[in-house]
Amino acid sequence: MSEQKGFWNNATVSAIASGITLSILTAIAHFAGITVASAIAWLKRVAAFWSADVTLSRWAFWSWVVVTALAAVFIALQIYFNLQETDAPVRADKKPVSFADYKTDIFFGLRWRWTVYAGGSVGKMSVYCPKCDYELSPANVERGQSWGEHICRCEHCGYHCQIGDSALYQLAKKAEKAAERKIRTGEWKKAAEV
Ligand SMILES: [Zn+2]
């Protein structure tokens, strides 16, 4: 079976044809949900037809060319989508879906980590340097130059920030409340990625 090749060699024709078939078939492929196995079986039937020695009128030939071309793109797209779906579960950019995933944030210039309990309360606060992640302790708090001023200084990297309280446990209580507030308001969704 043969026909003139000039028509498909025309750049404009093939560009338009591929553009249209791609956009239509992308939609159909998802809608129909044809599997790779059934697509390959279909492809085999098409190949059998092509190898058969038959005589066709011109309109029948071109109809079949169009159908076969569409089917080929359709099958290629289906295989492409199936591969995409296989990759999906391993994607690393998955957003946390529950406030139970909100376990850390920066409050008062320091990084806090905690345990989330059912109902949205938090506890077991621990505090870290926001710059180098060194764990901080009450020993890292020193008096500032003016009265009532306190500085929390990281002994590992030298990061320091002014804190309102003289003791870290007081600050931890405030951080706990700040985290619980974000859980209640839903702001944790934005902060959970931090
Ligand atoms: Zn540090």
Side-chain angles (χ1 to χ4, degrees):
M1 209 164 83
S2 67
E3 185 47 289
Q4 75 272 26
K5 296 257 165 79
F7 183 72
W8 291 106
N9 289 341
N10 182 307
T12 314
V13 169
S14 48
I16 293 168
S18 60
I20 292 168
T21 51
L22 263 173
S23 56
I24 293 170
L25 290 170
T26 305
I28 296 171
H30 260 310
F31 182 76
I34 286 175
T35 63
V36 173
S38 67
I40 287 168
W42 205 88
L43 196 66
K44 279 182 183 166
R45 286 204 293 277
V46 171
F49 179 89
W50 275 112
S51 55
D53 190 15
V54 292
T55 311
L56 285 176
S57 61
R58 182 168 290 234
W59 71 265
F61 174 84
W62 281 113
S63 304
W64 192 249
V65 164
V66 170
V67 169
T68 312
L70 291 180
V73 177
F74 189 15
I75 290 159
L77 281 172
Q78 193 58 45
I79 291 166
Y80 173 77
F81 284 134
N82 281 8
L83 292 175
Q84 291 286 301
E85 280 159 23
T86 313
D87 289 344
V90 293
R91 276 166 58 180
D93 60 347
K94 201 169 159 258
K95 293 243 172 199
V97 290
S98 157
F99 63 73
D101 298 318
Y102 175 52
K103 294 170 187 167
T104 178
D105 206 342
I106 290 177
F107 298 117
F108 319 114
L110 301 170
R111 172 161 295 283
W112 299 86
R113 288 195 176 90
W114 55 78
T115 303
V116 188
Y117 300 106
S121 60
V122 306
K124 292 186 187 168
M125 304 294 284
S126 50
V127 62
Y128 303 82
C129 170
K131 211 171 152 191
C132 74
D133 217 22
Y134 183 85
E135 185 166 5
L136 302 168
S137 68
N140 297 108
V141 178
E142 58 193 60
R143 283 182 184 279
Q145 291 193 333
S146 55
W147 189 84
E149 187 188 288
H150 291 88
I151 306 285
C152 186
R153 190 182 302 277
C154 171
E155 63 190 78
H156 183 257
C157 75
Y159 168 87
H160 58 278
C161 67
Q162 196 179 320
I163 56 171
D165 295 281
S166 57
L168 276 179
Y169 76 89
Q170 289 174 314
L171 202 60
K173 275 281 159 203
K174 289 180 183 174
E176 208 174 284
K177 288 182 177 181
E180 286 171 352
R181 188 194 69 80
K182 281 197 177 183
I183 288 172
R184 282 196 299 275
T185 62
E187 283 171 69
W188 66 268
K189 287 168 193 163
K190 280 180 266 172
E193 294 288 302
V194 178

